[in-house]
Amino acid sequence: MPPLALKEMLRPELSEFEPYRPVAGEFRVRLDANEAPALLGAGARQRLLDALTDMRWERYPDAAAHALRAAIAHKCGVSSDEVLVGVGSDEIIGLLLTALCVPRDATRAATLITTTPTFVMYRMSARIRGVQVLEVPLDEDWDVSVPSLLRAIELSNPNSIFIASPNNPTGTMARRDRLEQVIEAAPQALVVIDEAYVDYADRDQMDLYRKYDNVVVLRTLSKIGFAALRIGWMIGRPELVRELDKARLPYNMNSVSQTLGTLAL
């Protein structure tokens, strides 16, 4: 029997990357992971432990994460139908790119536009799904460059545009008027505003979500002291949430994360 021809079976884009392996070891401060310091006092820790005393370990988790989604909806001022939860924002990014991978043009792949430098998982998650990535440099103030983004939109007719605001790694917020110009220039693209670090900012961009149908917002608990729970979410129109939910793996949110995440919120 001939050897298995793996290279002929695997997506060629996989050859561009190495596995994601954080640096091992115990460190008091982990700047590479942007982890918050320990924020919980003894009383809060005890409340988290108490919440697990009645856990039904033999039961599967709530497949729809009703309580967690309700807590997120209350925090963000939306309905539960507008909330999709995932194993960190990374899973939500993957779900979005899995669903938004249909080419607009028969001669080229689906396209994602993002800025650079920014969160590396936009590019990685897109490329391993065969999505073309256009990276547009930030301007000299680390803000989005509207002329460059508008040109990229004109040339590529993108399926999605990912903008982190506050941005990782620069820590800068995109100016609202600049974001609005980009959103209005791409009415047939989904504009994903990643607010993973919004708890450290003096404003958010939820007003843009409420104003424009093609905008969704990503958030997480990972940057405010609960990285161990791996809870991220998307705020989006109910019809989009319903479609993305079809691509979500069953029971993606375990019972411990659902219970403690609901309490943390």
Side-chain angles (χ1 to χ4, degrees), residues 35-195:
E35 292 174 346
L39 300 175
L40 297 177
R45 288 178 176 274
Q46 189 59 52
R47 287 186 64 191
L48 291 169
L49 290 172
D50 291 344
L52 297 179
T53 56
D54 295 326
M55 181 72 64
R56 298 291 300 276
W57 301 101
E58 75 280 9
R59 300 295 187 192
Y60 280 99
D62 173 8
H66 288 96
L68 178 57
R69 287 170 51 234
I72 291 169
H74 178 74
K75 173 181 173 65
C76 297
V78 298
S79 71
S80 293
D81 290 342
E82 295 172 88
V83 177
L84 181 72
V85 292
V87 183
S89 299
D90 300 301
E91 184 181 21
I92 305 295
I93 292 166
L95 288 172
L96 283 165
L97 292 169
T98 297
L100 297 169
C101 65
V102 177
R104 293 274 176 83
D105 184 331
T107 65
R108 58 187 175 191
T111 302
L112 173 151
I113 293 175
T114 190
T115 60
T116 186
T118 194
F119 186 39
V120 297
M121 290 307 297
Y122 306 148
R123 182 179 187 278
M124 289 183 65
S125 293
R127 292 299 298 135
I128 63 176
R129 289 166 173 81
V131 175
Q132 176 179 298
V133 179
L134 290 183
E135 296 177 292
V136 177
L138 297 170
D139 69 11
E140 63 274 10
D141 297 318
W142 300 119
D143 202 346
V144 295
S145 173
V146 171
S148 298
L149 280 169
L150 296 188
R151 182 60 174 158
I153 291 167
E154 179 185 356
L155 291 173
S156 66
N157 190 19
N159 299 57
S160 59
I161 301 170
F162 279 68
I163 297 176
S165 180
N167 185 45
N168 171 8
T170 63
T172 48
M173 294 283 288
R175 275 175 42 183
R176 187 189 183 283
D177 61 312
R178 295 189 182 190
L179 280 176
E180 200 154 11
Q181 289 181 68
V182 173
I183 294 165
E184 291 181 351
Q188 298 306 312
L190 190 70
V191 179
V192 181
I193 302 177
D194 189 345
E195 294 190 337

Side-chain angles (χ1 to χ4, degrees), residues 206-223:
M206 284 294 294
D207 60 317
L208 297 177
Y209 164 70
R210 296 184 178 96
K211 183 175 181 179
Y212 295 101
D213 288 342
N214 64 326
V215 171
V216 301
V217 173
L218 303 185
R219 290 188 180 177
T220 181
L221 287 184
S222 293
K223 305 307 176 187

Side-chain angles (χ1 to χ4, degrees), residues 237-253:
R237 298 292 182 270
E239 56 269 27
L240 175 62
V241 170
R242 283 194 297 271
E243 292 304 304
L244 292 177
D245 203 37
K246 298 174 183 178
R248 179 179 59 86
L249 292 176
Y251 308 112
N252 66 322
M253 299 304 299

